[in-house]
Amino acid sequence: MGTVLPDFLVRYPQGYYCRYGDFFIDPLLPVHRAVVTHAHADHASPGQDTVYCTAATARFVRYRYRQQAARNFVETAYRHPFSIGDVTLRFIPAGHMLGSAQVEMVYQGATYLFTGDYKLQDDDTCEPFETVTADVLITESTFADPRIAHPDPVEELSKINNTPHHILMGTYALGKAQRLTSLLNTHCPDRRVLVHHGILPFHRMYNALGISHLRYEPYDRRALRDGAGNAVYLVPPMAFNSYFRATPFVRVFASGWERLQRQNDLSLYISDHVDWNDILHCIAAIQPREIWTVHGEGRHLADYFAGTMPVRPIRHQ
């Protein structure tokens, strides 16, 4: 058991920096070495020199940023050790979206686990979350609040089976849209899934990467003239906002955020992040000596573990 170094990972304006390996995790600005947990734009930014990530993440990032993505990609399989400087790393499935990874880092006998975004709920469009033990758990805390419990997504989707109208469903284009398509196929089988042109390329990439069970059609305005009202039209956030007065539709937005449920016809709380109970479950399984928090409010965890385990946000540099 190695000594935990309080400055092993610190926050710079560019992102989270490990001085002992001279790399950043999920940098927001261009850097020389970027370890990227997944392909969402708030974690994978353009202009990097060398990017370390899974093969699926590399594919999405190359598509999204084209020539500006990075000079070089080092694609690494899950659970396969690799080194940057004196730090040994492994990617561990995070369950957030296809290709998403936790970053396990070992240095001088101590293990640090950076979760990135992760979820425990079932999702047949990505690799399921895997647990490994660590001395320091560096966890996202987006919904680390004991008042927040994500509902069962199947029960949430049952709401739309009770309406005879077409559904305009706002969703993030990458990860969430593909999960929703699978859920709709399974639990709302009489609904036709129509996909906005901004989402369609990611559906096709998922198919190329082995997620071949999704049933959907490119959006066709003629389908919405059908009086049966059985279509679900998946649209990205910007398009959803432009349909504010879309009278032929029942408007819903699939998200864990309460603010995104306002002014819609139905609420649809489907999140791709862990909630409070999920985080506590992971902490019990990972058995850390310390917890460092990122991406949210960690004070509830600090209060919960006060006197039993150190909990603090990543330090700013």
Side-chain angles (χ1 to χ4, degrees), residues 96-124:
H96 181 61
M97 60 164 285
L98 189 60
S100 64
Q102 306 170 77
V103 183
E104 178 194 77
M105 298 164 283
V106 180
Y107 179 72
Q108 294 186 348
T111 301
Y112 305 79
L113 183 66
F114 186 95
T115 65
D117 291 346
Y118 64 116
K119 75 171 183 292
L120 305 190
Q121 289 183 346
D122 291 339
D123 183 351
D124 62 4

Side-chain angles (χ1 to χ4, degrees), residues 132-177:
V132 295
T133 58
D135 297 300
V136 178
L137 172 63
I138 307 167
T139 179
E140 68 141 314
S141 51
T142 308
F143 293 106
D145 186 325
R147 297 169 296 182
I148 296 176
H150 297 321
D152 182 345
V154 175
E155 292 182 7
E156 286 294 283
L157 277 180
S158 69
K159 297 174 183 177
I160 73 170
N161 278 333
N162 297 324
T163 177
H165 305 293
H166 295 308
I167 305 293
L168 180 73
M169 186 176 291
T171 175
Y172 301 112
L174 177 57
K176 177 66 70 64

Side-chain angles (χ1 to χ4, degrees), residues 278-300:
D278 291 334
I279 295 174
L280 294 185
H281 173 85
C282 287
I283 292 169
I286 294 167
Q287 303 175 20
R289 294 152 55 192
E290 296 187 20
I291 300 171
W292 303 348
T293 59
V294 295
H295 304 310
E297 176 59 75
R299 64 183 177 86
H300 295 295

